[in-house]
Structure formats: C-alpha cells, structure tokens
Amino acid sequence: MIPQELHDLLIGQYGDALTAAIEEGYAAERPVTFRYNRIKGQGDPAARLMAQGIEVRRVKWYEDAYLVEGAREDVLRETELYKNGEIYLQSLSSMLPPIYLSPAAGETVLDMTAAPGGKTTELYALSGGKALITACERDGVRFGRLQYNLARQGAGRVTALKCDALALDDAFSFDKILLDAPCTGSGTLSLNKPARFSESYLLRCAALQEKLLKKALRLLKKGGEMIYSTCSVLRQENEEILEKCLGRGCTVQPLVPLEGLPLLSGGAGTLCVCPSREYEGFFLAKIKKEG
Ligand code: SAM
C-alpha cells in the first residue's frame, strides 16, 4: 500500500502521469544488482557466476555494476565471490554518488553518514584504495555493520568514526564530501515491504538534512566538491534543502546523466532518478565551494 499522504505529495509535485510512473516503479520487482569490488576482485565476476549457473549482465554506465537475471539475493549470498568481498549487493541508484564524486588518490574525503558502507567501499575502490577516507556513523549497530563491511571489502585505510557528524569540529576540512543523507526513503518504497511515511517524519528528515548539509558545507575546503544525495523523490528533501543551504559561494554543478537512467527531472543540473524495474528512486546534486 502506498501511504495516502505520500501519494498526495507526489500528485502535488509531479502530477498524475509521473505519479503513476513512480507508483509503477514501487510495484516493480527489481532484479538483484551488485558492484564488483576491484580491491578484492580476482577477475571477471560475470564469467565466474555464469559458470555456477547465475546469469548476469553488465550495466552500460559503469564497468563494475552488474544486474543478475533470475536469481535472488540468497543465491548470491552463498557464492564465494560474495563471501570473500569480491562483490557487494547494492542497488544501481546507490552506486551513482561515488561515481559523480570521483575521488582521486591522495584526496581527503568525508563520507558523513556512512553505514552500512556501500558507498564508502565504492569510494575506496574508485580511488584504487588511495583516497584518504573518513567515514562517520552515529548509530552503534549500524556502525558495527560499517566496520564489518569495510573489513570484508578490504577497505583497510578508511578511518571509521562512530560519532554524530554534526559534532565534528569545524577545524577539519576535506577536499570532497559525500552526504548521503538519512531520508524518508520515498524513492525506495516497495509494495512487498511495509512503508514508513508520514508528513511529520518528512519534516523531521528535512530538518536533519538541512543541518547536515550546512555542516558539510562548513567542512568542505574552498575549491572542494561534494555530493548531496537521498533515496527520496520529494522536493522537500532535495531541491528545497539545497535552496535553504546554498549561497555564499556554494553552487550546484550540473551533472550529466549517465546513459539509460530513467529521470524524473534534471532541473538546475541535479538528477532525480524515477523508481522503475531496474532503479530505485534517487536524488543527487553536486555542489562546489568556490575558492
Ligand atoms: N551511505 C550509506 C550506504 O551507502 O551504505 C547509507 C547511509 S543512510 C542513507 C544514512 C545513515 O546516516 C544512517 O546509517 C544513519 O544512522 C546515519 N546518520 C543519521 N544522522 C547522522 C548523524 N547526525 N551523524 C552521522 N550519521 C548519521
């Protein structure tokens, strides 16, 4: 069931036709997708999984992203590739922020709200293990999950901090920041799972997102870049948060959509992915702090 309050907000923001497309995306049964982890990888995951009867295909826009045809998560979890951290089960949309942040060797990178660590380990892999990554998580149980995934994925040089990112000292500064903010998850609803959504929850999420983004902008070096992302399709958690926080030398840098992404909007250079059979709903913005 789609909560009525969410349906009404979608209609108000997107109108009837796009709301119908979003709600069709909620109802779709998405295939399992995974990211090949080059830090641990021992060669072509597709061929090795195919040899075990698991059919996979590579996604056009990222050589390490794969889609599994006809096998569920539990089958993948039994494979050696999964057990030894060569692959990480991750939605396609959630692979986008690290790709657009593009961390390089030697850069200091803050992953502000990091658990369970899918994007932290992707940032690490994208930099060949050579970016200097700090990953922050305030929830104790989720922090444990982050540590486990860092270890399993071989991301040994990540500094993991169990702390509230809002309490980080403003004396720290980073070349790049990923703020994959806590959100209502309005892009990832699935009709098979109970939905947690209410307008008061939306307001609480938006208030926290605003604080976290303002903090991120203080921690970003002059000349630095960051990605703000959510798995929500609601403008209250996306464009409106940007409107409240940007200005004073911090501007949105237009993102070029990768081939095949089903987009709801690309207004003002941000991207909002429409929930669909292959993608969860997701929002991304790249922000630059002028030097
Ligand atoms: N980026 C993660 C990944 O790809 O695996 C998912 C992050 S999830 C959307 C948001 C996380 O932020 C949650 O684990 C939540 O506990 C954490 N969080 C919320 N508020 C926080 C804060 N003030 N400081 C640090 N972490 C926070």
Side-chain angles (χ1 to χ4, degrees):
M1 272 294 281
I2 297 162
Q4 188 63 40
E5 285 173 296
L6 175 58
H7 174 78
D8 293 345
L9 285 166
L10 292 173
I11 292 280
Q13 183 178 332
Y14 290 108
D16 290 344
L18 280 179
T19 298
I22 292 169
E23 293 181 353
E24 231 172 79
Y26 292 156
E29 198 177 327
R30 269 178 281 283
V32 178
T33 52
F34 68 83
R35 178 173 53 79
Y36 177 57
N37 172 26
R38 283 176 189 269
I39 299 293
K40 289 282 262 330
Q42 292 166 30
D44 191 354
R48 288 155 68 210
L49 289 170
M50 301 268 216
Q52 297 172 52
I54 301 172
E55 212 174 300
V56 306
R57 77 177 151 85
R58 201 150 85 183
V59 172
K60 276 188 196 142
W61 44 261
Y62 183 25
E63 58 180 354
D64 292 339
Y66 291 84
L67 197 142
V68 181
E69 308 279 8
R72 301 308 314 161
E73 262 187 42
D74 49 348
V75 175
L76 269 286
R77 286 184 201 279
E78 285 307 312
T79 63
E80 278 311 302
L81 281 94
Y82 176 82
K83 288 181 183 164
N84 66 25
E86 282 186 73
I87 61 172
Y88 185 86
L89 302 187
Q90 189 173 352
S91 82
L92 296 180
S93 299
S94 100
M95 297 181 200
L96 296 170
I99 292 173
Y100 280 110
L101 193 59
S102 185
E107 284 179 336
T108 52
V109 180
L110 173 65
D111 187 352
M112 249 177 121
T113 52
K119 298 183 190 68
T120 319
T121 51
E122 186 180 345
L123 288 164
Y124 190 81
L126 282 166
S127 74
K130 293 190 174 130
L132 308 169
I133 300 175
T134 302
C136 214
E137 171 59 47
R138 79 169 173 191
D139 179 278
V141 173
R142 291 179 66 89
F143 182 73
R145 197 74 209 157
L146 170 66
Q147 286 182 305
Y148 174 82
N149 281 327
L150 291 175
R152 179 138 92 173
Q153 300 273 304
R157 293 179 66 217
V158 171
T159 303
L161 300 178
K162 189 200 158 299
C163 71
D164 185 335
L166 295 171
L168 287 172
D169 195 314
D170 283 349
F172 289 117
S173 65
F174 298 87
D175 297 313
K176 288 186 173 164
I177 296 180
L178 170 61
L179 172 53
D180 184 39
C183 70
T184 59
S186 74
T188 60
L189 237 71
S190 156
L191 296 190
N192 311 320
K193 287 188 256 154
R196 177 188 176 201
F197 187 87
S198 66
E199 291 216 47
S200 62
Y201 182 42
L202 172 61
L203 290 175
R204 284 203 305 283
C205 286
L208 179 56
Q209 289 153 356
E210 183 181 342
K211 280 191 208 157
L212 284 165
L213 181 51
K214 284 181 174 160
K215 181 72 183 180
L217 294 172
R218 289 200 294 277
L219 295 171
L220 190 61
K221 275 188 190 166
K222 287 192 172 166
E225 290 180 336
M226 69 165 288
I227 294 284
Y228 174 76
S229 60
T230 70
C231 55
S232 176
V233 293
L234 293 172
R235 57 172 291 113
Q236 289 88 336
E237 302 183 80
N238 299 330
E239 290 88 346
E240 286 183 16
I241 301 300
L242 298 180
E243 282 159 18
K244 286 176 189 159
C245 299
L246 298 189
R248 282 168 304 169
C250 296
T251 50
V252 170
Q253 301 291 295
L255 293 174
V256 178
L258 296 169
E259 190 185 346
L261 285 185
L263 292 179
L264 280 166
S265 68
T270 60
L271 298 180
C272 194
V273 179
C274 183
S276 66
R277 189 186 164 268
E278 293 182 1
Y279 293 87
E280 291 183 330
F282 209 85
F283 175 85
L284 291 124
K286 187 171 203 169
I287 300 164
K288 185 171 172 101
K289 186 167 174 176
E290 301 308 331

